[in-house]
Amino acid sequence: MKVVVIASEAVPFAKTGGLADVAGALPRALASLGHEACVILPRYRCTELSGIDLEDTGLVVRVPIGSREIEGRIFTARLPNSTARAVLIDQTTYFDRDELYGRHGADFSDNSERFIFFARAAIEAIRLLNLKPDVLHCNDWQAALIPVFLQEFYRHLPDFEGVGTLLTIHNLAYQGVFWHWDMPLTGLDWRLFNFHQLEFHGKLNLLKAGIVFADVLSTVSPTYAREIQTPQLGCGLDGLLRSRSGDLHGIVNGIDTTIWNPANDSLLPYPYDALTFREGKAACKSQLQRRLNLPERPDVPLLAQIGRLDPQKGWDLLADVTDDLLSDDVQMVVLGEGQPRYHELLDHLSNRHPGKVRAVLEFLPQLARQIEAGADVFLMPSLYEPCGLNQLYSLAYGTVPIVHSTGGLADTVVDVNEQSLADGTATGFAFDRPHADAFRQALGRMKALWADQDAWGKLVHNGMTRDFSWTASAREYVRLYGIVQEKARLRTLV
């Protein structure tokens, strides 16, 4: 099978979030399963930092943007340790910038134009490179016009007649909504600007366009696929998604086990696996406590939180419970940055509970791995979480997650109870309601189990032996691509 993944970012070339991890890892995993795969993304300024040599193919895409024709060059490269390729679209006016999507918290004013160009340029690159794909796997709003362009402009070409399209929604909250006068930039007929297709409350909605036109839809966990069909988490598109519920699937993201693997992590003082985690995590915990100037105490649970300090990540819940939590015999470390009020909260906690709290208010990838190895518990009370990666990293490193049971967190963390602990399925602590009292109860259950280190060890072992590799996720995508191909085949028969 030939699969082309199209995304606005991909590791190791450009990254702002989990989309880049998916777009960079999935083609490699598909290639390892014997499929022909590549990823297409813009060539940003930061691409040069990847250290990967790019080959200028000499090919030029020409894309109509309104009344103008915009040119871009095609570069290619091999993804590290893989036969999978990367195709990068170079257009300096659009992509040679300090950031990918905006600056100082504000989106670039021409984001609509930039990614209209990218979506059409990706199809042109496929044509010029003679890739002849079976499936185009489009990701998020930046690539969501591709199924529309394919239907309106390319179906008459033999190489595109039977191509199927999959649109993956990584976070429905980001839809690519722009004023209606951006419609002429697409080159699409105004007849498509209607309630049933591209129009959304008088504006142009690129993600909606993809949801309407793609053969099959997916999102990054089965629970999130159900949640986005509700008014609470549907972000105004729940009715449309319900109308396509038969075509909507959920597949949990994988993690790159060549990086996130405590058995071969060179950053750890004592690499370990599911059989040696007691000695390994003890050594990593001691080193982390020394590095962060916390008392070296193996007997107290060391709790961690890594990521954006943001309400969506459950920081209002954390603000409600941490004072009481730190009154007990625990330690806590936080890595990340975000809203100033949470920075102030951490300063307050550090002053009220000396020797118990350390906050590193920036993001340091190497420290993140050391925290995952040295911590005992990972706090992830997100209000919503399409998939989540930190709980997967935590399970791989033997760090027990406490999560609000939503989205991918509900699909990847099995709550501790008498039955799940006995049958070996329990991997963490989950609470159903995003309320402080429910969070406190989960924390109380964690502290009770911590007192029984034999039971705690079983919990750690359960998490470390779960398979969240990209190979497992890629097999699920291959199954889904088969559905996409069948839909495309039936369409050609009509």
Side-chain angles (χ1 to χ4, degrees):
M1 188 184 304
K2 296 181 179 180
V3 179
V4 176
V5 177
I6 305 112
S8 59
E9 55 185 83
V11 170
F13 303 103
K15 175 177 177 175
T16 65
L19 168 61
D21 295 301
V22 175
L26 179 56
R28 293 169 54 201
L30 292 170
S32 72
L33 294 175
H35 302 281
E36 191 174 321
C38 77
V39 59
I40 301 179
L41 74 155
R43 184 189 181 193
Y44 302 104
R45 183 180 298 173
C46 63
T47 300
E48 305 306 318
L49 302 177
S50 69
I52 296 177
D53 292 331
L54 303 183
E55 177 187 350
D56 188 343
T57 64
L59 299 172
V60 176
V61 294
R62 294 176 174 86
V63 173
I65 297 293
S67 61
R68 298 168 296 147
E69 184 176 79
I70 306 297
E71 293 187 352
R73 292 186 300 159
I74 301 175
F75 287 76
T76 61
R78 289 285 178 189
L79 290 173
N81 304 312
S82 177
T83 60
R85 283 202 298 172
V87 176
L88 295 96
I89 308 296
D90 181 71
Q91 213 297 320
T92 55
T93 301
Y94 291 148
F95 303 126
D96 186 17
R97 305 183 184 185
D98 292 337
E99 304 292 340
L100 273 58
Y101 309 119
R103 186 179 293 114
H104 306 309
D107 290 345
F108 291 128
S109 61
D110 62 347
N111 272 353
S112 174
E113 182 175 334
R114 298 170 74 219
F115 290 103
I116 289 170
F117 168 82
F118 170 65
R120 187 77 180 264
I123 303 177
E124 286 296 315
I126 290 167
R127 185 178 64 83
L128 291 173
L129 291 168
N130 200 31
L131 296 181
K132 298 183 179 179
D134 299 305
V135 174
L136 299 185
H137 184 168
C138 312
N139 291 270
D140 277 351
W141 69 264
Q142 295 93 338
L145 276 180
I146 288 173
V148 192
F149 287 150
L150 201 62
Q151 181 63 36
E152 294 295 304
F153 301 137
Y154 294 90
R155 284 296 182 203
H156 66 284
L157 300 178
D159 289 347
F160 290 100
E161 184 180 10
V163 174
T165 54
L166 170 67
L167 174 66
T168 295
I169 302 165
H170 295 261
N171 190 333
L172 188 64
Y174 301 95
Q175 298 181 10
V177 179
F178 303 97
W179 76 326
H180 67 287
W181 287 117
D182 280 352
M183 183 70 181
L185 297 175
T186 68
L188 296 166
D189 195 291
W190 274 103
R191 66 182 167 76
L192 301 177
F193 191 78
N194 65 77
F195 173 77
H196 297 290
Q197 293 175 309
L198 274 63
E199 184 269 340
F200 183 76
H201 299 289
K203 297 184 177 182
L204 172 65
N205 187 319
L206 302 188
L207 186 64
K208 178 181 177 180
I211 292 172
V212 171
F213 279 82
D215 291 315
V216 177
L217 308 171
S218 74
T219 189
V220 289
S221 69
T223 295
Y224 191 59
R226 294 189 294 272
E227 289 175 340
I228 60 177
Q229 297 179 62
T230 67
Q232 293 77 17
L233 290 177
C235 301
L237 295 178
D238 52 290
L240 173 60
L241 289 163
R242 285 194 299 274
S243 75
R244 297 215 60 190
S245 61
D247 296 319
L248 177 58
H249 305 259
I251 297 176
V252 172
N253 289 339
I255 61 174
D256 188 341
T257 53
T258 64
I259 298 173
W260 293 94
N261 184 345
N264 57 23
D265 192 331
S266 61
L267 295 175
L268 307 187
Y270 193 118
Y272 59 92
D273 58 22
L275 298 177
T276 61
F277 69 85
R278 290 190 184 277
E279 300 88 346
K281 285 192 70 68
C284 293
K285 181 176 182 177
S286 179
Q287 183 203 51
L288 182 63
Q289 288 169 326
R290 287 195 303 272
R291 175 172 178 174
L292 298 178
N293 199 27
L294 288 168
E296 285 187 58
R297 293 191 56 190
D299 58 311
V300 301
L302 175 56
L303 284 59
Q305 213 289 326
I306 300 172
R308 295 195 323 272
L309 279 60
D310 184 89
Q312 186 252 315
K313 295 298 183 181
W315 265 95
D316 289 332
L317 293 179
L318 283 163
D320 284 341
V321 306
T322 44
D323 233 349
D324 291 342
L325 175 64
L326 291 165
S327 297
D328 289 339
D329 210 8
V330 302
Q331 295 175 342
M332 186 171 78
V333 56
V334 175
L335 175 66
E337 56 187 341
Q339 296 191 7
R341 60 190 171 121
Y342 301 127
H343 292 204
E344 294 169 6
L345 167 69
L346 290 165
D347 286 340
H348 164 77
L349 293 172
S350 297
N351 292 330
R352 275 184 56 84
H353 305 280
K356 288 188 174 184
V357 183
R358 291 292 179 269
V360 181
L361 298 178
E362 57 182 320
F363 188 70
L364 303 173
Q366 294 183 341
L367 180 57
R369 280 153 60 186
Q370 292 169 341
I371 290 174
E372 288 285 12
D376 300 297
V377 176
F378 193 88
L379 304 175
M380 203 165 177
S382 304
L383 300 186
Y384 70 93
E385 195 70 61
C387 178
L389 290 174
N390 279 111
Q391 85 278 14
L392 303 182
Y393 300 149
S394 297
L395 291 168
Y397 277 64
T399 301
V400 176
I402 300 181
V403 304
H404 171 219
S405 190
T406 184
L409 303 180
D411 294 321
T412 55
V413 178
V414 179
D415 187 41
V416 172
N417 56 45
E418 187 175 345
Q419 179 61 43
S420 63
L421 198 59
D423 64 22
T425 59
T427 57
F429 300 87
F431 57 98
D432 291 332
R433 295 173 296 111
H435 297 152
D437 287 343
F439 191 12
R440 284 192 184 93
Q441 290 175 9
L443 289 165
R445 292 192 292 128
M446 176 274 295
K447 287 183 282 187
L449 194 69
W450 174 262
D452 182 349
Q453 282 294 297
D454 287 339
W456 188 269
K458 291 179 183 177
L459 188 61
V460 171
H461 183 270
N462 292 347
M464 293 189 71
T465 51
R466 294 285 298 273
D467 183 7
F468 289 112
S469 69
W470 262 111
T471 299
S473 297
R475 289 194 179 99
E476 286 296 301
Y477 274 110
V478 169
R479 178 189 62 80
L480 193 54
Y481 296 151
I483 297 173
V484 174
Q485 286 184 288
E486 180 61 17
K487 294 261 301 186
R489 187 187 69 81
L490 292 173
R491 184 185 60 246
T492 62
L493 297 177
V494 175

